[in-house]
Amino acid sequence: MQDERRYEKSGVALECISKGDAKGFFNAVFSTKGRPGETIIKCIPHTLQFYTANKFNLNVYESRNAYPLFVFNFIVFCLILLVHYRFSHWVLKNEYLALLSVLIYSCLTNSYLYLRHALPYDTSLLILYYTMYKALQLADSDSLSIKKCFIIGLSAFIGYSVYPGYFPLVFLIGILLFYQFNNNFSLYYRIKAIASYVGGFGSLLILFELLSRIGDSSFVFASKGLSTTIVQGSFQECFSFLYKYLWEAEGNGGKILVFGLSIFLIHLLFNLKKIFFDKVLFVSLLLILAYLSYASLGYFFHRFVFYGRLIHMYYPFICIACVSLLNTSFLTEKYKNAIAICISFIFVFSFFKIFIQYKTYSYPRDIGWKYVNIYGKNAVHNICEYNGGVSQVPARVLTKKSISPTEKIYDSFYFVALVNCCYHNTFFDIEKNKRFYLKTGGVLIESLRPYYLFKPYQYEGYGIEERRNIDSLQPLIKAYGYIFQLPTK
């Protein structure tokens, strides 16, 4: 099941609530492979989508009814920026550098790529990032109690239950609670703090497991099985994945980050003695060790691969690490300000350049909804040009919709044949589908570039060879209109 299709389980959960079906509700919540928190949270935009669908006579999941979800995602994104600013300001002790870090983060493609999708990544990042910020803030101010450690454990579990892929942050939070900057707590107290944190995390884990049993499933068992699903990609690029993503998917801004990260690593090596007294160095070292451990399991033991969504959690800290170099350099304030201004202009320019390019790509699901709404599902046929594609033409449609004046030209046809309105799980097989045929006799209505031609999407599960195939094939989504009947061979 694609991560995005799990969103529909929130709708099922709401329907079960309306019917008083407790077992069905818990079955829906815990049927998303270790993401029950996401299912529950996404009931918020789902409720709004049910309302707007009913009010405006729309299908719940059609593209024209997706704006409640987008608004929800955008609010989450803005909250991440707020947390990122506060965390950056806390560790850098410099407001201008914190603002620069926020600017860099908001201009990166991976930061906003998931805004239009029904995915759990930003929500999980928000919860875990805020939890880590509060843990570090409380520990640093000597106001961390055993009770607060328990609450932090509860919060960490909620973030984990939204998207388990960010589990390294759960361990990072625990280490920060144990170390506790700027205090003289005894080892015994630190152990109690960690035990309380684990207790908070574990208590919700037990509760979720018990609730999942009501729905005839097991949260723990589903979570254990997740590690076997993260294998769609290239094991050989596990160590280089982050650098390759930044270089190829993030444009000029990404290249600057590659340069900045390289300098930061050298800076880290030369300042290992300060590691336990500098928050940026300490947190960065922990994240580097987490990345290398994960990469080692993938490269040497073929356990995991990296996706763009999995390096999403590293992005805020990459920005902070690179910006922190301006805090440690021997340059005068005048030159530091000049460098910061130049970097800002480069990232803003890079953002607009990539965003304009991004707007030229289309999503098969959107195209499918467009033609189904005009003609009805029985008059729209789809063929995947290459083997292994799954049609994205929606099957569950309430009714044919009225069309706008700009779409009147399409309504002159009786049938529409779509080519490549598909989702490709893999792109190893580049042979033509045997059922594929040229649309002779049809009128080409439009030809569009699918989303997977956009480089950041190619790093969401496609390996080296698959990305090469996509770039060489340059497949297009095409729509053919027919005045009479659709040819069958």
Side-chain angles (χ1 to χ4, degrees):
M1 183 188 292
Q2 305 166 31
D3 277 351
E4 200 158 16
R5 298 307 296 269
R6 294 187 176 95
Y7 176 69
E8 297 175 7
K9 294 298 182 179
S10 297
V12 176
L14 285 174
E15 291 176 356
C16 291
I17 290 176
S18 66
K19 298 175 183 177
D21 181 5
K23 183 175 181 179
F25 171 79
F26 288 113
N27 180 268
V29 167
F30 290 98
S31 63
T32 51
K33 293 187 177 180
R35 298 164 176 85
E38 168 70 357
T39 308
I40 296 171
I41 291 174
K42 281 300 195 298
C43 285
I44 299 172
H46 237 118
T47 301
L48 296 174
Q49 280 188 279
F50 281 141
Y51 171 77
T52 53
N54 181 65
K55 183 175 178 61
F56 301 109
N57 190 31
L58 298 171
N59 292 282
V60 175
Y61 300 113
E62 70 172 282
S63 303
R64 290 186 290 185
N65 195 43
Y67 57 89
L69 175 62
F70 177 82
V71 171
F72 176 86
N73 287 343
F74 187 74
I75 292 173
V76 171
F77 176 71
C78 291
L79 290 174
I80 290 175
L81 295 182
L82 178 61
V83 174
H84 183 53
Y85 166 74
R86 291 184 175 180
F87 184 82
S88 300
H89 190 272
W90 184 263
V91 297
L92 295 172
K93 306 300 182 184
N94 187 304
E95 182 177 1
Y96 296 107
L97 290 182
L99 290 172
L100 177 60
S101 179
V102 172
L103 174 68
I104 292 174
Y105 178 82
S106 60
C107 288
L108 293 170
T109 308
N110 187 268
S111 299
Y112 64 81
L113 185 65
Y114 310 114
L115 275 175
R116 60 147 291 140
H117 295 280
L119 295 169
Y121 317 135
D122 273 341
T123 310
S124 178
L125 178 61
L126 171 62
I127 297 171
L128 289 171
Y129 196 8
Y130 179 76
T131 303
M132 187 178 73
Y133 164 64
K134 293 303 294 184
L136 185 60
Q137 185 185 47
L138 290 171
D140 202 30
S141 60
D142 291 341
S143 60
L144 190 65
S145 65
I146 300 301
K147 180 180 178 181
K148 289 178 181 178
C149 289
F150 186 86
I151 295 173
I152 290 172
L154 296 177
S155 179
F157 179 84
I158 293 172
Y160 171 81
S161 71
V162 172
Y163 184 59
Y166 296 157
F167 69 90
L169 292 182
V170 175
F171 290 101
L172 178 60
I173 293 168
I175 294 173
L176 290 175
L177 288 177
F178 178 80
Y179 183 70
Q180 299 183 28
F181 289 90
N182 300 331
N183 63 54
N184 297 312
F185 289 137
S186 65
L187 177 62
Y188 175 69
Y189 187 87
R190 294 169 191 264
I191 293 174
K192 282 176 62 179
I194 286 293
S196 181
Y197 172 72
V198 173
F201 189 95
S203 62
L204 271 187
L205 174 63
I206 294 172
L207 176 61
F208 271 50
E209 175 64 15
L210 293 175
L211 293 176
S212 68
R213 297 288 180 171
I214 298 176
D216 294 332
S217 61
S218 171
F219 171 71
V220 173
F221 181 78
S223 299
K224 287 175 60 179
L226 287 174
S227 61
T228 61
T229 65
I230 314 174
V231 294
Q232 186 183 328
S234 299
F235 294 109
Q236 61 265 40
E237 63 179 351
C238 283
F239 287 104
S240 61
F241 186 90
L242 177 60
Y243 272 81
K244 290 176 72 173
Y245 188 97
L246 291 172
W247 191 268
E248 294 190 11
E250 295 291 0
N252 293 327
K255 292 176 175 62
I256 289 179
L257 289 182
V258 168
F259 178 71
L261 270 178
S262 302
I263 296 178
F264 180 80
L265 290 175
I266 297 172
H267 168 72
L268 179 64
L269 291 174
F270 277 97
N271 290 274
L272 286 177
K273 292 182 179 180
K274 301 178 182 178
I275 204 75
F276 295 107
F277 307 98
D278 188 307
K279 298 181 185 66
V280 175
L281 294 179
F282 187 72
V283 173
S284 298
L285 178 62
L286 293 178
L287 288 170
I288 289 170
L289 292 176
Y291 180 89
L292 293 177
S293 299
Y294 189 101
S296 297
L297 288 172
Y299 186 86
F300 295 110
F301 303 101
H302 290 191
R303 293 292 304 275
F304 313 107
V305 295
F306 271 112
Y307 303 142
R309 72 201 78 162
L310 291 175
I311 63 169
H312 188 58
M313 70 171 183
Y314 293 98
Y315 262 54
F317 309 103
I318 291 172
C319 297
I320 292 173
C322 291
V323 167
S324 70
L325 293 172
L326 293 177
N327 239 356
T328 58
S329 67
F330 297 100
L331 299 172
T332 63
E333 287 299 319
K334 178 181 178 181
Y335 284 108
K336 287 181 181 180
N337 293 336
I339 292 173
I341 292 172
C342 290
I343 289 174
S344 299
F345 275 112
I346 292 173
F347 272 93
V348 171
F349 176 78
S350 178
F351 166 79
F352 281 109
K353 181 180 178 181
I354 294 177
F355 189 74
I356 291 171
Q357 178 191 2
Y358 165 71
K359 293 293 290 181
T360 65
Y361 298 98
S362 299
Y363 294 87
R365 195 72 171 174
D366 292 348
I367 305 304
W369 273 115
K370 172 183 175 180
Y371 285 98
V372 165
N373 279 337
I374 295 173
Y375 294 96
K377 62 180 180 181
N378 294 328
V380 177
H381 301 258
N382 179 55
I383 296 171
C384 300
E385 186 175 2
Y386 299 96
N387 288 327
V390 178
S391 175
Q392 293 299 294
V393 176
R396 290 176 289 175
V397 183
L398 294 178
T399 181
K400 178 180 174 180
K401 298 293 186 299
S402 59
I403 62 174
S404 64
T406 58
E407 294 172 329
K408 282 291 184 183
I409 184 175
Y410 303 143
D411 203 31
S412 60
F413 300 107
Y414 289 100
F415 296 96
V416 169
L418 300 177
V419 178
N420 289 331
C421 191
C422 309
Y423 167 76
H424 285 270
N425 195 40
T426 64
F427 240 107
F428 287 114
D429 189 353
I430 59 174
E431 295 295 322
K432 293 282 186 178
N433 192 319
K434 293 180 180 180
R435 295 183 293 113
F436 174 74
Y437 49 86
L438 294 175
K439 301 300 171 291
T440 54
V443 177
L444 180 62
I445 302 174
E446 59 182 343
S447 181
L448 303 162
R449 304 173 73 194
Y451 72 97
Y452 48 79
L453 292 178
F454 190 46
K455 189 57 69 173
Y457 281 119
Q458 293 182 14
Y459 280 91
E460 294 292 347
Y462 294 125
I464 299 172
E465 181 184 345
E466 293 171 291
R467 295 198 296 269
R468 193 178 297 123
N469 288 338
I470 293 171
D471 290 338
S472 62
L473 292 171
Q474 291 290 305
L476 298 172
I477 302 173
K478 295 182 179 181
Y480 293 88
Y482 292 87
I483 297 175
F484 296 107
Q485 63 181 7
L486 187 71
T488 57
K489 63 180 178 178

